[in-house]
């Protein structure tokens, strides 16, 4: 059995509880000792103090998350066939979601039993991020597995993210299979978007907001809409498609705005319906206030203000600020879709911050619905950390 030759991690007494609850992370403080000499990414057997088998995991001496469990099954070996089974299962689970969009997350890391692997499909291109030493260890395997499982023509890597630093890994960008795709197009619920997979944010597009874009579309009819932090115009185009009177979209990134404009043209939408503003949202909301502007629908989807726990106090101030100013700009009965993608800001805290903003803005707001990421970003019930995107659909009195 693999167990005999594999290096071993022995946990401190009592520290096996989270693994028994199928949470995949083993923190450095939980480890009593390591037997053998595993290199970063190597598979180790994790046992309780009494020797009981707990998991087979990817080891990383350079990370606070010292190991990430691949499997809780003692009979399962970690090899390319195992990874292939997991990828195929992740894709099979999403069969029903394929309808309506050619863009979809097909592997969502820990929640799909593949710690550190993110894979997004855009038409016949798959974009991957390898975010852990374990995912990195199997770099050679992913390309072939993903091509076989999807029929895609190329697999492109976008591992240029800060979390790799916490794992002791360098950023990497480039083709794993096929050519680096120049321009990729998706069709999401009847709207075409061009996706810049090589230079765009994350893997190129915010697939996690698909359901919320549909919601925005349903609320936009005849409204003056403000889309703050618009990136390549996802919510803006949804609002135009939904019959908005006029849509103003703000982002600091000129490249993102240029692509947003192209996306509007791609769909042959009336260009006079949309205005693209290169500005800082914090300043621009105040300007709108001075101008006495009002909007029937406002979307606030800022970048991750709190990348880690220590950023939470500053992030809370920033979230409160934009929500407060947005609420002051809502027309009577107007809708606000407000989001946070900071994992360190939980749903309860986010709600408190937004409530504080409403109190300071002296407006009465109703929660119409709690919002989250689309279903292709389904989260394992044992891994609450996977639920990074949270939002509220609020309506002004
Ligand atoms: N809502 C978008 C994703 C937003 S990502 C979608 O659905 O596609 C966050 C965006 O905020 C990025 O495009 C980034 O360029 C922009 N941004 C960051 N800080 C900003 C600021 N202070 N003012 C305006 N835009 C900002």
């Amino acid at each position: 059995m693999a167990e005999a030759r594999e290096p071993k991690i022995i946990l401190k007494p009592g520290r096996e509880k989270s693994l028994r609850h199928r949470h995949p992370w083993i923190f450095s403080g939980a480890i009593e000792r390591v037997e053998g000499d595993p290199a970063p990414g190597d598979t180790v057997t994790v046992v309780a103090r009494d020797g009981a088998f707990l998991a087979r995991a990817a080891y990383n001496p350079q990370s606070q998350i010292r190991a990430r469990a691949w499997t809780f099954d003692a009979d399962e070996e970690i090899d390319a066939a195992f990874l292939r089974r997991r990828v195929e299962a992740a894709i099979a689970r999403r069969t029903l979601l394929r309808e309506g969009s050619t863009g979809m997350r097909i592997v969502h890391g820990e929640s799909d039993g593949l710690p550190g692997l993110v894979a997004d499909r855009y038409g016949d291109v798959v974009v991957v991020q390898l975010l852990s030493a374990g995912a990195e260890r199997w770099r050679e395997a992913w390309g072939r597995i993903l091509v076989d499982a999807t029929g895609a023509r190329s697999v492109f890597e976008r591992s240029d993210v800060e979390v790799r630093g916490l794992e002791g890994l360098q950023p990497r960008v480039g083709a794993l299979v096929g050519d680096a795709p120049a321009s990729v197009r998706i069709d999401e619920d009847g709207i075409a978007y061009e996706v810049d997979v090589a230079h765009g944010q994350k893997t190129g597009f915010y697939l996690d907001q698909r359901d919320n874009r549909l919601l925005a579309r349903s609320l936009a009819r005849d409204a003056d809409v403000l889309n703050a932090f618009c990136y390549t115009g996802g919510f803006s185009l949804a609002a135009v498609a939904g019959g908005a009177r006029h849509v103003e979209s703000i982002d600091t990134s000129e490249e993102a705005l240029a692509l947003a404009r192209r996306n509007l043209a791609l769909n042959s939408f009336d260009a006079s319906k949309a205005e693209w503003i290169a500005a800082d949202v914090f300043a621009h909301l105040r300007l709108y206030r001075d101008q006495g502007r009002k909007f029937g629908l406002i979307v606030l989807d800022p970048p991750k203000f709190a990348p880690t726990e220590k950023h939470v106090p500053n992030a809370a101030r920033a979230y409160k600020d934009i929500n407060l100013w947005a609420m002051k700009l809502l027309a009577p009965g107007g809708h606000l879709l407000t989001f946070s993608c900071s994992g360190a800001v939980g749903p309860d805290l986010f709600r408190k911050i937004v409530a504080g903003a409403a109190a300071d803005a002296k407006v009465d707001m109703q929660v119409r619905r709690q919002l989250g990421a689309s279903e292709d970003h389904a989260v394992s019930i044992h891994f609450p950390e996977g639920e990074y995107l949270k939002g509220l659909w609020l309506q002004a009195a």
Side-chain angles (χ1 to χ4, degrees):
M1 215 42 264
E3 207 174 327
R5 52 172 200 275
E6 257 165 27
K8 213 181 243 185
I9 288 180
I10 296 104
L11 298 189
K12 290 177 182 164
R15 299 304 289 269
E16 71 286 352
K17 283 204 189 83
S18 62
L19 280 169
R20 290 225 159 100
H21 280 101
R22 304 179 81 79
H23 188 284
W25 289 351
I26 299 139
F27 287 96
S28 57
I31 296 175
E32 183 158 285
R33 61 177 204 281
V34 180
E35 282 178 6
D37 187 20
D42 279 357
T43 303
V44 294
T45 300
V46 187
V47 298
R49 175 65 172 283
D50 64 6
F53 175 90
L54 295 169
R56 198 159 277 129
Y59 183 67
N60 187 356
Q62 309 190 49
S63 173
Q64 282 305 307
I65 305 170
R66 199 52 54 91
R68 298 181 196 231
W70 289 119
T71 180
F72 301 102
D73 178 352
D75 296 327
E76 203 160 33
E77 278 211 59
I78 309 310
D79 51 19
F82 164 85
L83 305 174
R84 185 176 288 271
R85 285 197 302 278
R86 286 275 164 105
V87 167
E88 284 169 356
I91 291 170
R93 270 195 286 282
R94 288 164 169 82
T95 309
L96 289 175
L97 299 175
R98 230 166 271 153
E99 228 150 280
S101 180
T102 56
M104 181 167 70
R105 173 147 301 185
I106 53 175
V107 180
H108 190 38
E110 275 76 351
S111 290
D112 279 308
L114 289 167
L117 180 73
V118 165
D120 288 340
R121 179 170 194 174
Y122 300 107
D124 55 6
V125 174
V126 174
V127 184
V128 294
Q129 295 181 318
L130 310 185
L131 306 174
S132 66
E136 177 78 16
R137 157 74 179 72
W138 295 94
R139 157 181 300 281
E140 299 308 317
W142 299 123
R144 177 57 36 214
I145 290 173
L146 285 161
V147 163
D148 290 348
T150 61
R153 98 187 123 88
S154 62
V155 180
F156 191 74
E157 179 178 7
R158 282 296 305 276
S159 299
D160 49 334
V161 276
E162 263 173 46
V163 291
R164 276 191 47 117
L166 302 176
E167 291 279 303
L169 302 167
Q170 298 298 314
R172 278 185 80 147
V173 175
L176 288 183
V177 175
D179 299 327
S183 154
V184 176
R185 208 175 269 190
I186 59 165
D187 181 308
E188 184 194 81
D189 300 308
I191 301 178
Y193 295 98
E194 191 183 314
V195 180
D196 185 352
V197 300
H199 312 100
Q201 292 175 28
K202 302 221 284 187
T203 64
F205 195 70
Y206 287 82
L207 291 168
D208 53 359
Q209 291 285 24
R210 176 182 171 190
D211 293 351
N212 300 321
R213 278 189 283 272
L214 275 176
L215 174 62
R217 188 168 173 171
S218 74
L219 296 173
R221 178 150 304 283
D222 299 328
D224 282 321
V225 178
L226 170 59
N227 180 14
F229 309 98
C230 68
Y231 186 47
T232 55
F235 281 104
S236 315
L237 269 70
V240 172
R245 207 178 70 82
H246 191 249
V247 182
E248 283 169 62
S249 307
I250 309 173
D251 204 285
T252 43
S253 163
E254 297 277 5
E255 298 79 40
L257 291 170
L259 186 45
R261 279 196 188 86
R262 286 211 297 282
N263 281 332
L264 193 79
L266 192 61
N267 289 277
S268 312
F269 288 150
D270 177 358
S272 71
K273 291 255 180 197
E275 192 178 333
W276 307 100
I277 302 158
D280 170 37
V281 166
F282 291 85
H284 213 77
L285 293 177
R286 288 167 168 83
L287 180 68
Y288 281 141
R289 169 70 178 172
D290 294 345
Q291 296 171 341
R293 294 289 308 278
K294 294 285 173 191
F295 297 91
L297 169 63
I298 299 179
V299 179
L300 285 180
D301 183 25
K304 204 194 287 174
F305 287 152
T308 68
E309 208 64 54
K310 72 167 195 282
H311 298 93
V312 170
N314 280 338
R317 274 190 287 279
Y319 285 122
K320 182 169 176 184
D321 186 86
I322 53 173
N323 279 280
L324 188 156
W325 289 95
M327 287 172 190
K328 286 180 188 251
L329 298 176
L330 279 180
H335 298 275
L336 172 62
L337 304 183
T338 181
F339 299 96
S340 162
C341 60
S342 300
V345 175
D348 293 345
L349 175 57
F350 183 60
R351 211 173 160 124
K352 260 190 211 136
I353 295 166
V354 175
D360 285 9
K362 298 193 170 55
V363 293
D364 287 318
M365 303 289 297
Q366 251 187 353
V367 179
R368 294 291 300 267
R369 198 187 291 162
Q370 275 193 161
L371 305 173
S374 309
E375 273 170 83
D376 51 346
H377 291 62
V379 171
S380 160
I381 199 159
H382 307 295
F383 186 64
E385 291 86 345
E387 208 167 337
Y388 63 97
L389 181 67
K390 64 222 61 96
L392 293 168
W393 166 17
L394 300 166
Q395 187 173 23

mmCIF file with all atom_site columns, all heavy atoms in Angstrom, residues 144-155:
data_model
loop_
_atom_site.group_PDB
_atom_site.id
_atom_site.type_symbol
_atom_site.label_atom_id
_atom_site.label_alt_id
_atom_site.label_comp_id
_atom_site.label_asym_id
_atom_site.label_entity_id
_atom_site.label_seq_id
_atom_site.pdbx_PDB_ins_code
_atom_site.Cartn_x
_atom_site.Cartn_y
_atom_site.Cartn_z
_atom_site.occupancy
_atom_site.B_iso_or_equiv
_atom_site.pdbx_formal_charge
_atom_site.auth_seq_id
_atom_site.auth_comp_id
_atom_site.auth_asym_id
_atom_site.auth_atom_id
_atom_site.pdbx_PDB_model_num
ATOM 1  N N   . ARG A 1 144 ? -3.318  17.747 -19.977 1.00 0.00 ? 144 ARG A N   1
ATOM 2  C CA  . ARG A 1 144 ? -3.877  16.595 -20.686 1.00 0.00 ? 144 ARG A CA  1
ATOM 3  C C   . ARG A 1 144 ? -5.238  16.200 -20.098 1.00 0.00 ? 144 ARG A C   1
ATOM 4  O O   . ARG A 1 144 ? -6.206  15.942 -20.809 1.00 0.00 ? 144 ARG A O   1
ATOM 5  C CB  . ARG A 1 144 ? -2.856  15.434 -20.606 1.00 0.00 ? 144 ARG A CB  1
ATOM 6  C CG  . ARG A 1 144 ? -3.246  14.111 -21.199 1.00 0.00 ? 144 ARG A CG  1
ATOM 7  C CD  . ARG A 1 144 ? -3.636  14.103 -22.675 1.00 0.00 ? 144 ARG A CD  1
ATOM 8  N NE  . ARG A 1 144 ? -2.889  15.029 -23.544 1.00 0.00 ? 144 ARG A NE  1
ATOM 9  C CZ  . ARG A 1 144 ? -3.401  15.652 -24.605 1.00 0.00 ? 144 ARG A CZ  1
ATOM 10 N NH1 . ARG A 1 144 ? -4.667  15.485 -24.925 1.00 0.00 ? 144 ARG A NH1 1
ATOM 11 N NH2 . ARG A 1 144 ? -2.660  16.445 -25.335 1.00 0.00 ? 144 ARG A NH2 1
ATOM 12 N N   . ILE A 1 145 ? -5.299  16.166 -18.766 1.00 0.00 ? 145 ILE A N   1
ATOM 13 C CA  . ILE A 1 145 ? -6.549  15.767 -18.102 1.00 0.00 ? 145 ILE A CA  1
ATOM 14 C C   . ILE A 1 145 ? -7.688  16.709 -18.493 1.00 0.00 ? 145 ILE A C   1
ATOM 15 O O   . ILE A 1 145 ? -8.795  16.278 -18.834 1.00 0.00 ? 145 ILE A O   1
ATOM 16 C CB  . ILE A 1 145 ? -6.367  15.770 -16.558 1.00 0.00 ? 145 ILE A CB  1
ATOM 17 C CG1 . ILE A 1 145 ? -5.444  14.634 -16.128 1.00 0.00 ? 145 ILE A CG1 1
ATOM 18 C CG2 . ILE A 1 145 ? -7.710  15.674 -15.848 1.00 0.00 ? 145 ILE A CG2 1
ATOM 19 C CD1 . ILE A 1 145 ? -5.074  14.647 -14.652 1.00 0.00 ? 145 ILE A CD1 1
ATOM 20 N N   . LEU A 1 146 ? -7.418  18.011 -18.478 1.00 0.00 ? 146 LEU A N   1
ATOM 21 C CA  . LEU A 1 146 ? -8.473  18.986 -18.775 1.00 0.00 ? 146 LEU A CA  1
ATOM 22 C C   . LEU A 1 146 ? -8.883  18.958 -20.246 1.00 0.00 ? 146 LEU A C   1
ATOM 23 O O   . LEU A 1 146 ? -10.058 19.106 -20.568 1.00 0.00 ? 146 LEU A O   1
ATOM 24 C CB  . LEU A 1 146 ? -8.024  20.390 -18.360 1.00 0.00 ? 146 LEU A CB  1
ATOM 25 C CG  . LEU A 1 146 ? -8.071  20.599 -16.835 1.00 0.00 ? 146 LEU A CG  1
ATOM 26 C CD1 . LEU A 1 146 ? -7.208  21.791 -16.416 1.00 0.00 ? 146 LEU A CD1 1
ATOM 27 C CD2 . LEU A 1 146 ? -9.510  20.783 -16.344 1.00 0.00 ? 146 LEU A CD2 1
ATOM 28 N N   . VAL A 1 147 ? -7.913  18.743 -21.129 1.00 0.00 ? 147 VAL A N   1
ATOM 29 C CA  . VAL A 1 147 ? -8.242  18.638 -22.558 1.00 0.00 ? 147 VAL A CA  1
ATOM 30 C C   . VAL A 1 147 ? -9.118  17.401 -22.786 1.00 0.00 ? 147 VAL A C   1
ATOM 31 O O   . VAL A 1 147 ? -10.151 17.456 -23.451 1.00 0.00 ? 147 VAL A O   1
ATOM 32 C CB  . VAL A 1 147 ? -6.962  18.579 -23.419 1.00 0.00 ? 147 VAL A CB  1
ATOM 33 C CG1 . VAL A 1 147 ? -7.266  18.066 -24.822 1.00 0.00 ? 147 VAL A CG1 1
ATOM 34 C CG2 . VAL A 1 147 ? -6.330  19.968 -23.509 1.00 0.00 ? 147 VAL A CG2 1
ATOM 35 N N   . ASP A 1 148 ? -8.725  16.278 -22.202 1.00 0.00 ? 148 ASP A N   1
ATOM 36 C CA  . ASP A 1 148 ? -9.502  15.043 -22.383 1.00 0.00 ? 148 ASP A CA  1
ATOM 37 C C   . ASP A 1 148 ? -10.913 15.196 -21.805 1.00 0.00 ? 148 ASP A C   1
ATOM 38 O O   . ASP A 1 148 ? -11.890 14.708 -22.375 1.00 0.00 ? 148 ASP A O   1
ATOM 39 C CB  . ASP A 1 148 ? -8.804  13.860 -21.697 1.00 0.00 ? 148 ASP A CB  1
ATOM 40 C CG  . ASP A 1 148 ? -7.525  13.466 -22.434 1.00 0.00 ? 148 ASP A CG  1
ATOM 41 O OD1 . ASP A 1 148 ? -7.320  13.947 -23.569 1.00 0.00 ? 148 ASP A OD1 1
ATOM 42 O OD2 . ASP A 1 148 ? -6.726  12.687 -21.873 1.00 0.00 ? 148 ASP A OD2 1
ATOM 43 N N   . ALA A 1 149 ? -11.026 15.867 -20.677 1.00 0.00 ? 149 ALA A N   1
ATOM 44 C CA  . ALA A 1 149 ? -12.323 15.956 -19.993 1.00 0.00 ? 149 ALA A CA  1
ATOM 45 C C   . ALA A 1 149 ? -13.259 16.973 -20.644 1.00 0.00 ? 149 ALA A C   1
ATOM 46 O O   . ALA A 1 149 ? -14.473 16.889 -20.468 1.00 0.00 ? 149 ALA A O   1
ATOM 47 C CB  . ALA A 1 149 ? -12.117 16.307 -18.524 1.00 0.00 ? 149 ALA A CB  1
ATOM 48 N N   . THR A 1 150 ? -12.715 17.946 -21.380 1.00 0.00 ? 150 THR A N   1
ATOM 49 C CA  . THR A 1 150 ? -13.570 19.018 -21.910 1.00 0.00 ? 150 THR A CA  1
ATOM 50 C C   . THR A 1 150 ? -13.582 19.078 -23.435 1.00 0.00 ? 150 THR A C   1
ATOM 51 O O   . THR A 1 150 ? -14.480 19.695 -24.003 1.00 0.00 ? 150 THR A O   1
ATOM 52 C CB  . THR A 1 150 ? -13.076 20.408 -21.438 1.00 0.00 ? 150 THR A CB  1
ATOM 53 O OG1 . THR A 1 150 ? -11.744 20.612 -21.934 1.00 0.00 ? 150 THR A OG1 1
ATOM 54 C CG2 . THR A 1 150 ? -13.081 20.520 -19.917 1.00 0.00 ? 150 THR A CG2 1
ATOM 55 N N   . GLY A 1 151 ? -12.572 18.511 -24.072 1.00 0.00 ? 151 GLY A N   1
ATOM 56 C CA  . GLY A 1 151 ? -12.443 18.676 -25.522 1.00 0.00 ? 151 GLY A CA  1
ATOM 57 C C   . GLY A 1 151 ? -11.925 20.051 -25.917 1.00 0.00 ? 151 GLY A C   1
ATOM 58 O O   . GLY A 1 151 ? -11.979 20.427 -27.086 1.00 0.00 ? 151 GLY A O   1
ATOM 59 N N   . ALA A 1 152 ? -11.420 20.811 -24.926 1.00 0.00 ? 152 ALA A N   1
ATOM 60 C CA  . ALA A 1 152 ? -10.909 22.158 -25.215 1.00 0.00 ? 152 ALA A CA  1
ATOM 61 C C   . ALA A 1 152 ? -9.690  22.080 -26.128 1.00 0.00 ? 152 ALA A C   1
ATOM 62 O O   . ALA A 1 152 ? -8.988  21.063 -26.168 1.00 0.00 ? 152 ALA A O   1
ATOM 63 C CB  . ALA A 1 152 ? -10.543 22.867 -23.915 1.00 0.00 ? 152 ALA A CB  1
ATOM 64 N N   . ARG A 1 153 ? -9.436  23.199 -26.838 1.00 0.00 ? 153 ARG A N   1
ATOM 65 C CA  . ARG A 1 153 ? -8.288  23.209 -27.747 1.00 0.00 ? 153 ARG A CA  1
ATOM 66 C C   . ARG A 1 153 ? -7.032  23.719 -27.051 1.00 0.00 ? 153 ARG A C   1
ATOM 67 O O   . ARG A 1 153 ? -5.914  23.430 -27.467 1.00 0.00 ? 153 ARG A O   1
ATOM 68 C CB  . ARG A 1 153 ? -8.625  24.016 -29.003 1.00 0.00 ? 153 ARG A CB  1
ATOM 69 C CG  . ARG A 1 153 ? -8.141  25.446 -29.046 1.00 0.00 ? 153 ARG A CG  1
ATOM 70 C CD  . ARG A 1 153 ? -8.657  26.211 -30.243 1.00 0.00 ? 153 ARG A CD  1
ATOM 71 N NE  . ARG A 1 153 ? -9.384  27.401 -29.805 1.00 0.00 ? 153 ARG A NE  1
ATOM 72 C CZ  . ARG A 1 153 ? -8.796  28.582 -29.573 1.00 0.00 ? 153 ARG A CZ  1
ATOM 73 N NH1 . ARG A 1 153 ? -7.505  28.737 -29.737 1.00 0.00 ? 153 ARG A NH1 1
ATOM 74 N NH2 . ARG A 1 153 ? -9.505  29.605 -29.158 1.00 0.00 ? 153 ARG A NH2 1
ATOM 75 N N   . SER A 1 154 ? -7.203  24.492 -25.989 1.00 0.00 ? 154 SER A N   1
ATOM 76 C CA  . SER A 1 154 ? -6.004  24.916 -25.273 1.00 0.00 ? 154 SER A CA  1
ATOM 77 C C   . SER A 1 154 ? -6.269  25.101 -23.782 1.00 0.00 ? 154 SER A C   1
ATOM 78 O O   . SER A 1 154 ? -7.409  25.325 -23.360 1.00 0.00 ? 154 SER A O   1
ATOM 79 C CB  . SER A 1 154 ? -5.409  26.188 -25.886 1.00 0.00 ? 154 SER A CB  1
ATOM 80 O OG  . SER A 1 154 ? -6.320  27.248 -25.794 1.00 0.00 ? 154 SER A OG  1
ATOM 81 N N   . VAL A 1 155 ? -5.211  24.962 -23.021 1.00 0.00 ? 155 VAL A N   1
ATOM 82 C CA  . VAL A 1 155 ? -5.262  25.180 -21.574 1.00 0.00 ? 155 VAL A CA  1
ATOM 83 C C   . VAL A 1 155 ? -4.201  26.220 -21.255 1.00 0.00 ? 155 VAL A C   1
ATOM 84 O O   . VAL A 1 155 ? -3.023  26.054 -21.600 1.00 0.00 ? 155 VAL A O   1
ATOM 85 C CB  . VAL A 1 155 ? -4.982  23.879 -20.782 1.00 0.00 ? 155 VAL A CB  1
ATOM 86 C CG1 . VAL A 1 155 ? -5.039  24.145 -19.284 1.00 0.00 ? 155 VAL A CG1 1
ATOM 87 C CG2 . VAL A 1 155 ? -5.975  22.784 -21.176 1.00 0.00 ? 155 VAL A CG2 1
#
